[in-house]
């Protein structure tokens, strides 16, 4: 998407912004080979409803199947690499930081590909597939090894190990939720990228930013419930649009 295809007022808002906040969803990782949340059920999982799997009740009812689903997703993510959208966001953060401006990345994704691309201080509001938590001690383990030997796994304390993600019906981690709300209320520009804008409270951050006077934008393959709300909507692949946007912002800075 060449510079000329970005709305000039959007580009100038980005060039003037002191604080930029970004919320990412599964669409940012799609081009890395991580199925989006709703596609995550191709193949073996096609007979399940994800909303029924990603819940504490499902784990309590069938810890074997749920642990297997999460371990399979974890193993897939370990094979995936950051794509140009992840790399562009990491580069943008570095560029803005060097200019004394702030860039906050809030992600719904649980694949840690933003961190693999070089993004720092990533606010993981839904946790991580790479971490497991003991139900008894609440101790968290990061595990990047092969498939678990059996399901469900237990910690040395004997507690069931659950994925350290936020399930439907569970509260977001307090520190992550607070940091995300602060960024949404404080930013000059808020951009929602690669998310269906259906899951709350994540989908509410854009509305918080708008209510605080921020310029809002959406970059997504398909229209979403947020498309009518944002000031600027760009439909297309994050892996194509994000690198072009960062180049356009860098060019402008260079010409200031
Ligand atoms: C909570 C981790 C309360 C697990 C996930 C109002 C307020 C508060 C809560 C609610 C509310 N209304 C309803 C609720 C309850 C619920 C909710 O939002 N339900 C929805 C379905 C209506 N929310 C919750 O339960 C949350 N908790 O509210 O707790 C509370 C308070 C105190 C005490 C106790 C409880 C917790 C929600 C977190 C759930 N966990 N993930 C796991 O991964 O297994 S959510 C999971 O689904 C993802 O993390 C993600 O957030 C969501 C999927 O969304 P997306 O990332 O957008 O992915 P999706 O596939 O939907 O869309 C992809 C998009 O990308 C598409 O639009 C597509 O067009 C686009 N795309 C594809 N390819 C590309 C692309 N775009 C660009 N480029 C491409 N190449």
């Amino acid at each position: 998407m060449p510079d000329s295809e970005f709305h000039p007022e959007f580009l100038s808002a980005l060039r003037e912004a002191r604080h930029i906040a970004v919320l990412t969803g599964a669409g940012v990782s799609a081009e890395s080979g991580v199925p989006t949340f709703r596609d995550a059920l191709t193949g073996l999982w096609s007979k399940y409803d994800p909303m029924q799997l990603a819940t504490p009740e499902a784990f309590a009812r069938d810890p074997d199947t749920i642990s297997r689903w999460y371990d399979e997703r974890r193993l897939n993510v370990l094979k995936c690499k950051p794509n140009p959208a992840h790399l562009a966001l990491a580069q943008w953060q570095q560029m803005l930081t060097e200019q004394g401006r702030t860039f906050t990345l809030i992600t719904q994704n649980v694949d840690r590909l933003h961190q693999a691309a070089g993004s720092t201080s990533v606010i993981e509001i839904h946790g991580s597939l790479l971490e497991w938590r003991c139900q008894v001690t609440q101790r968290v383990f990061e595990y990047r090894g092969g498939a678990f030997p059996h399901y469900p796994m237990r910690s040395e304390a004997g507690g069931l190990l659950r994925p350290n993600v936020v399930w439907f019906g569970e509260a977001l981690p307090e520190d992550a939720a607070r940091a995300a709300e602060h960024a949404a209320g404080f930013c000059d520009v808020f951009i929602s990228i690669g998310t269906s804008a259906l899951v709350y409270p994540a989908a509410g951050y854009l509305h918080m930013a708008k209510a605080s006077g921020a310029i809002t934008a959406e970059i997504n393959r398909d229209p979403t419930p947020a498309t009518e709300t944002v000031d600027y909507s760009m439909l297309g692949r994050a892996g194509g649009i994000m690198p072009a946007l960062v180049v356009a912002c860098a060019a402008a800075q260079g010409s200031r």
Side-chain angles (χ1 to χ4, degrees):
M1 191 177 201
D3 185 341
S4 56
E5 287 196 30
F6 293 112
H7 197 294
E9 285 170 20
F10 177 50
L11 288 181
S12 56
L14 288 176
R15 289 165 190 156
E16 298 310 316
R18 304 297 311 152
H19 311 285
I20 294 176
V22 167
L23 170 73
T24 61
V28 168
S29 294
E31 293 164 71
S32 294
V34 181
T36 60
F37 194 80
R38 283 161 182 74
D39 306 345
L41 298 161
T42 49
L44 180 63
W45 303 105
S46 53
K47 59 182 182 295
Y48 290 92
D49 168 3
M51 310 296 281
Q52 300 311 313
L53 291 180
T55 66
E57 294 77 15
F59 185 71
R61 190 174 50 246
D62 186 353
D64 178 330
T65 301
I66 302 306
S67 312
R68 219 175 273 275
W69 185 50
Y70 278 93
D71 204 31
E72 183 176 306
R73 288 175 60 194
R74 180 183 68 86
L75 292 166
N76 177 53
V77 155
L78 285 173
K79 291 187 301 220
C80 296
K81 297 276 176 277
N83 69 59
H86 295 111
L87 296 167
L89 284 162
Q91 185 197 357
W92 201 12
Q93 176 181 28
Q94 189 176 354
M95 189 173 87
L96 291 167
T97 307
E98 284 164 4
Q99 294 162 6
R101 304 197 281 169
T102 60
F103 178 89
T104 305
L105 178 55
I106 306 160
T107 190
Q108 300 172 90
N109 298 339
V110 292
D111 55 37
R112 292 218 157 141
L113 288 177
H114 282 304
Q115 293 91 329
S119 290
T120 56
S121 313
V122 179
I123 302 173
E124 289 181 323
I125 54 172
H126 290 163
S128 169
L129 276 178
L130 303 184
E131 291 181 338
W132 293 73
R133 188 168 84 228
C134 171
Q135 296 259 74
V136 167
T137 63
Q138 300 310 315
R139 267 193 62 201
V140 172
F141 309 76
E142 184 180 71
Y143 180 53
R144 292 172 176 268
F148 283 149
H150 53 79
Y151 301 100
M153 287 289 287
R154 289 183 180 275
S155 71
E156 286 119 50
L160 280 179
L161 283 183
R162 58 159 284 176
N164 195 32
V165 297
V166 178
W167 277 327
F168 289 99
E170 291 186 323
L172 273 54
E174 259 183 55
D175 53 346
R178 198 175 312 112
E181 287 163 18
H182 174 75
F186 188 66
C187 65
D188 304 308
V189 179
F190 187 97
I191 312 175
S192 174
I193 310 175
T195 178
S196 57
L198 293 172
V199 172
Y200 283 82
Y205 297 140
L206 181 140
H207 302 279
M208 275 184 205
K210 191 169 186 72
S212 305
I215 297 284
T216 55
E218 180 182 54
I219 295 169
N220 203 56
R221 186 192 63 197
D222 305 309
T224 75
T227 306
E228 293 311 310
T229 306
V230 295
D231 298 303
Y232 303 99
S233 164
M234 288 143 276
L235 288 181
R237 286 185 313 103
I241 294 175
M242 283 319 300
L245 183 58
V246 174
V247 165
C249 290
Q253 289 312 114
S255 61
R256 280 180 61 156

